[in-house]
């Protein structure tokens, strides 16, 4: 049974009855009132037929709830993923065309299969490849691009540069809707202002003959549930062109999922099953593809709304899906009169809440290097538009390079005894040496292929400039891992010190590291090698062996 529930997580859902059913019903309706108008707006952002946004909020939402590890996370169209879709397909087809739809479906297939494979292989840790500053910088750049792309439609013009005439009624619809959405978000954040704006604008547009006056509206939408869509076969080169964008979409959408899922799991005090969420997100993308839509993702805002409205299980997502189904069956004609300027207002209002330029200042205060990486990610994302996925790739590569540099250059300090009794950086705190003829050091890193050479060079250079050193003490407690290279370099260093009649003292070595060194035969019984379980034992022994003053303090 445990194996079955791991494969089919929805079997763990509680029975829908009583207070739970009431709470999930309210939450599902609340999210549904926001999801449909957002889905229409985000589909336009992705360059897709707007009905595809509703399709992406139907079966993908249900599949994700059934198979993901975090069923209360709301899945469907999101601004960031839709922008990535538009950026990936720009120049390959005409937005809204059948070829564009086919390419978007292939993006959903490729990114979905990739996420499923990663989940089955238990590669959920891949989310850690994108650090927080890189994701923040990419999101900020994407927000700027989204707002810029929506301004023409928002203001009722075909182009901002070179400037073209404004359609004043469209601009009025767009600006008023944007103001209403922003004010509503501030004064009543849980009120479905998006639905009110979209429905209200549609009614006013129909009443005043907005379309007849030259205004751009959504137009007629097909009614009914989505049919099965099988994308046409693509040439190998076309599929290859989509591989990198699909990888970025899979990674970024999983980052969005991580943000929502961690918030949910903090409330339930349950560990996050990232591998199951990868599988659920991948299956949702496949469901979107086979209904003729684009890649989906987790919406942080709708997920937060779902939790705030009282959702207790995945049944709230089922209620949301039922609401979307009602719209597809009976209410799509009501959307045909909605001005496109209002859809742009919905998108702009949603992403404005994500724009946080002060985040760069916060990162700068914490780490100048990571702030520089974030700044470069931001700039590259803007400069490479519409191929904005290069921004993510640049940030990931720079972040990994910085990570590797830190591992290749671990922090190694010469320690001294601080007045508070702790061992600290002797040069930073202006402390005297622990004892005459002693080089006492600590490496705050694992001893592996990346750091071993640095440790060896540090000790060798110190001995070359301090000929009187007769003892080297390595305070090894921070060394929590060692590989074969580390063991080999440790052995070489031990033999070199012994040949020069320098005693090597090791303090606080951890058991896994000690076992590995013993297995490698690098901890022999030798007068030139001393092991101590604690730092206090080491300091006491060193005091006796190095002719330290009698009043030398011991921790």
């Amino acid at each position: 049974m445990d194996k079955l529930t791991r494969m089919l997580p929805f079997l763990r859902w509680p029975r829908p009855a009583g207070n739970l059913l009431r709470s999930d019903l309210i939450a599902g309706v609340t999210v549904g009132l926001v999801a449909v108008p957002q889905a229409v707006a985000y589909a336009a952002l992705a360059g897709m037929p707007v009905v595809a946004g509703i399709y992406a909020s139907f079966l993908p939402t249900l599949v994700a709830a059934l198979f993901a590890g975090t069923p209360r996370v709301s899945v469907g169209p999101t601004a960031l993923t839709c922008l990535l879709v538009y950026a990936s397909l720009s120049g390959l087809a005409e937005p809204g065309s059948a070829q564009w739809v086919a390419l978007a479906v292939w993006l959903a297939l490729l990114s979905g299969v990739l996420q499923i494979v990663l989940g089955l292989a238990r590669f959920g840790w891949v989310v850690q490849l994108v650090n927080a500053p890189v994701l923040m910088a990419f999101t900020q750049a994407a927000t700027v691009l989204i707002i810029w792309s929506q301004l023409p439609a928002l203001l009722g013009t075909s182009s901002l540069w070179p400037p073209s005439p404004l359609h004043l009624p469209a601009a009025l619809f767009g600006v008023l809707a944007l103001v209403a959405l922003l004010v509503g978000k501030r004064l009543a954040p849980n009120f479905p202002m998006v639905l009110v704006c979209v429905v209200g604008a549609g009614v006013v547009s129909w009443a005043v003959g907005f379309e007849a006056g030259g205004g751009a509206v959504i137009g007629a939408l097909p009614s009914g549930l989505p049919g099965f869509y099988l994308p046409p076969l693509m040439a190998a080169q076309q599929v290859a062109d989509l591989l990198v964008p699909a990888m970025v979409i899979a990674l970024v959408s999983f980052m969005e999922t991580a943000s929502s899922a961690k918030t949910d799991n903090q409330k339930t005090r349950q560990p996050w099953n990232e591998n199951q969420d990868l599988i659920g997100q991948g299956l949702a993308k496949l469901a979107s593809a086979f209904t003729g839509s684009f890649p989906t993702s987790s919406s942080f805002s709708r997920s937060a709304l779902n939790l705030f409205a009282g959702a207790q299980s995945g049944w709230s997502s089922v209620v949301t899906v039922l609401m979307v189904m009602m719209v597809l069956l009976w209410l799509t004609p009501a959307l045909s009169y909605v001005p496109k300027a209002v859809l742009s207002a919905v998108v702009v209002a949603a992403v404005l809440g994500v724009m946080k330029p002060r985040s760069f200042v916060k990162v700068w205060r914490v780490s100048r290097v990571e702030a520089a990486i974030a700044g470069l990610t931001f700039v590259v994302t803007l400069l490479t538009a519409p191929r904005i996925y290069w921004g993510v790739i640049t940030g990931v590569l720079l972040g990994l390079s910085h990570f590797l540099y830190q591992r290749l250059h671990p922090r190694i300090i010469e320690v001294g005894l601080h007045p508070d009794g702790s061992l600290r950086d002797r040069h930073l705190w202006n402390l005297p040496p622990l004892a005459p003829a002693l080089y006492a050091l600590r490496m705050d890193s694992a001893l592996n292929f990346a750091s071993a050479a640095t440790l060896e060079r540090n000790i060798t250079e110190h001995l070359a400039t301090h000929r009187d050193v007769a003892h080297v003490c390595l305070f090894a407690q921070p060394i929590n891992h060692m590989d074969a290279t580390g063991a080999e370099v440790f052995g070489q260093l031990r033999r070199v010190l012994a040949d020069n009649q320098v005693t090597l003292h090791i303090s606080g070595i951890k058991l896994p590291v000690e076992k590995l060194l013993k297995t490698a035969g690098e901890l022999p019984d030798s007068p030139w090698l001393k092991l101590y379980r604690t730092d206090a034992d080491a300091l006491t022994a060193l005091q006796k062996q190095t002719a330290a003053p009698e009043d030398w303090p011991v921790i």
Side-chain angles (χ1 to χ4, degrees):
M1 185 65 180
D2 289 341
K3 184 177 180 180
L4 185 63
T5 56
R6 283 197 301 269
M7 295 174 58
L8 305 173
F10 60 87
L11 294 178
R12 295 194 296 265
W13 290 7
R15 294 176 63 86
N19 291 332
L20 182 141
L21 179 60
R22 187 181 306 107
S23 298
D24 282 350
L25 182 63
I26 294 173
V29 171
T30 303
V31 174
L33 293 176
V34 175
V36 172
Q38 276 193 350
V40 173
Y42 290 158
L45 175 62
M48 294 287 288
V50 293
V51 72
I54 307 179
Y55 293 164
S57 300
F58 182 49
L59 281 183
T61 302
L62 179 61
V63 170
L66 292 175
F67 294 99
T70 318
R72 295 191 297 180
V73 168
S74 178
V75 173
T78 64
L80 191 53
T81 301
C82 288
L83 178 63
L84 282 170
V85 171
Y86 187 87
S88 303
L89 304 184
S90 294
L92 301 180
E94 183 69 23
S97 64
Q99 177 70 1
W100 183 281
V101 172
L103 290 172
V105 167
W106 272 102
L107 271 180
L109 285 173
L110 293 172
S111 57
V113 168
L114 178 60
Q115 286 188 322
I116 293 172
V117 170
L118 290 175
L120 292 174
R122 310 199 69 77
F123 270 41
W125 54 262
V126 74
V127 71
Q128 300 170 23
L129 291 177
V130 183
N131 62 34
V134 168
L135 181 63
M136 177 275 297
F138 176 73
T139 303
Q140 296 306 301
T143 300
V144 172
L145 293 172
I146 289 172
I147 293 175
W148 180 258
S149 70
Q150 296 301 303
L151 284 179
L154 180 71
L155 300 175
T157 181
S158 58
S159 173
L160 291 178
W161 192 263
S164 58
L166 298 180
H167 187 268
L168 291 179
L172 188 62
F173 269 111
V175 172
L176 289 178
L178 180 60
V179 170
L181 289 168
L182 295 178
V183 172
K185 188 175 183 179
R186 177 175 292 273
L187 299 181
N190 299 307
F191 183 75
M193 184 58 74
V194 176
L195 181 68
V196 172
C197 284
V198 170
V199 173
V203 172
V204 174
S205 169
W206 169 78
V208 301
F210 175 71
E211 183 180 12
V217 297
I218 291 178
L221 297 177
S223 297
L225 301 180
F228 180 77
Y229 180 91
L230 189 63
L233 294 177
M234 295 287 176
Q237 185 58 48
Q238 288 179 303
V239 175
D241 291 339
L242 296 178
L243 282 179
V244 173
M247 291 171 60
V248 173
I249 288 174
L251 183 59
V252 172
S253 69
F254 190 49
M255 291 293 296
E256 291 187 300
T257 300
S259 299
S260 301
K262 288 178 180 178
T263 301
D264 184 288
N265 283 277
Q266 285 170 359
K267 293 181 179 296
T268 61
R269 297 184 179 181
Q270 296 293 323
W272 178 40
N273 188 345
E274 62 269 29
N275 297 304
Q276 190 61 48
D277 270 338
L278 262 176
I279 295 172
Q281 292 293 321
L283 291 173
K285 287 179 174 61
L286 295 189
S288 184
F290 290 124
T291 52
S293 196
F294 49 87
T296 54
S297 186
S298 299
S299 168
F300 185 82
S301 60
R302 293 196 299 271
S303 299
L305 179 62
N306 194 36
L307 292 177
F308 187 85
Q312 298 186 37
S313 69
W315 291 109
S316 61
S317 295
V318 175
V319 174
T320 299
V321 169
L322 292 176
M323 288 195 63
V324 174
M325 183 175 70
M326 293 171 56
V327 171
L328 285 170
L329 291 175
W330 299 301
L331 300 178
T332 51
L335 297 172
S336 60
Y337 294 101
V338 176
K340 290 186 176 180
V342 175
L343 297 185
S344 295
V346 171
V347 174
V348 172
V351 300
L352 275 176
V354 182
M355 183 174 284
K356 298 176 181 178
R358 291 184 179 178
S359 299
F360 288 98
V361 178
K362 183 178 180 181
V363 175
W364 177 264
R365 290 172 179 169
V366 174
S367 170
R368 301 290 176 88
V369 175
E370 290 189 273
I373 293 174
L376 285 172
T377 302
F378 181 85
V379 172
V380 171
T381 303
L382 293 180
L383 293 181
T384 57
R387 300 288 186 263
I388 63 171
Y389 48 80
W390 288 113
V392 175
I393 295 173
T394 300
V396 169
L397 292 178
L398 289 174
L400 291 177
S401 299
H402 176 54
F403 175 83
L404 182 59
Y405 179 86
Q406 289 180 313
R407 296 305 177 272
L408 290 170
H409 301 81
R411 181 174 183 259
I412 300 176
I413 61 171
E414 182 180 1
V415 298
L417 195 63
H418 192 273
D420 66 4
S422 63
L423 294 173
R424 298 195 180 187
D425 188 335
R426 186 173 81 79
H427 301 287
L428 178 64
W429 293 92
N430 296 317
L431 303 173
L434 280 181
L438 169 68
Y439 179 43
L441 71 156
R442 187 184 73 217
M443 183 175 75
D444 298 332
S445 168
L447 184 57
N448 52 31
F449 73 97
S451 63
T454 303
L455 175 65
E456 182 181 30
R457 183 170 58 251
N458 179 280
I459 295 177
T460 302
E461 290 178 352
H462 186 88
L463 294 180
T465 57
H466 299 77
R467 297 290 183 177
D468 60 331
V469 171
H471 299 268
V472 172
C473 182
L474 175 62
F475 291 92
Q477 191 170 11
I479 302 175
N480 56 7
H481 171 73
M482 181 180 291
D483 63 5
T485 304
E488 180 180 349
V489 171
F490 176 88
Q492 293 172 355
L493 184 62
R494 177 185 60 78
R495 287 187 287 273
V496 168
L497 293 176
D499 291 341
N500 288 275
Q501 297 185 339
V502 176
T503 304
L504 176 61
H505 305 262
I506 307 293
S507 172
I509 188 171
K510 293 185 181 298
L511 184 59
V513 176
E514 183 179 0
K515 284 183 176 179
L516 187 145
L517 288 173
K518 285 182 177 179
T519 302
E522 298 297 351
L523 292 179
D525 291 329
S526 169
W528 304 106
L529 178 65
K530 307 293 183 182
L531 299 180
Y532 309 98
R533 184 55 55 198
T534 67
D535 292 348
D537 293 340
L539 292 175
T540 302
L542 288 169
Q543 184 180 22
K544 297 176 181 178
Q545 296 182 34
T546 59
E550 291 298 329
D551 60 348
W552 189 58
V554 177
I555 60 172

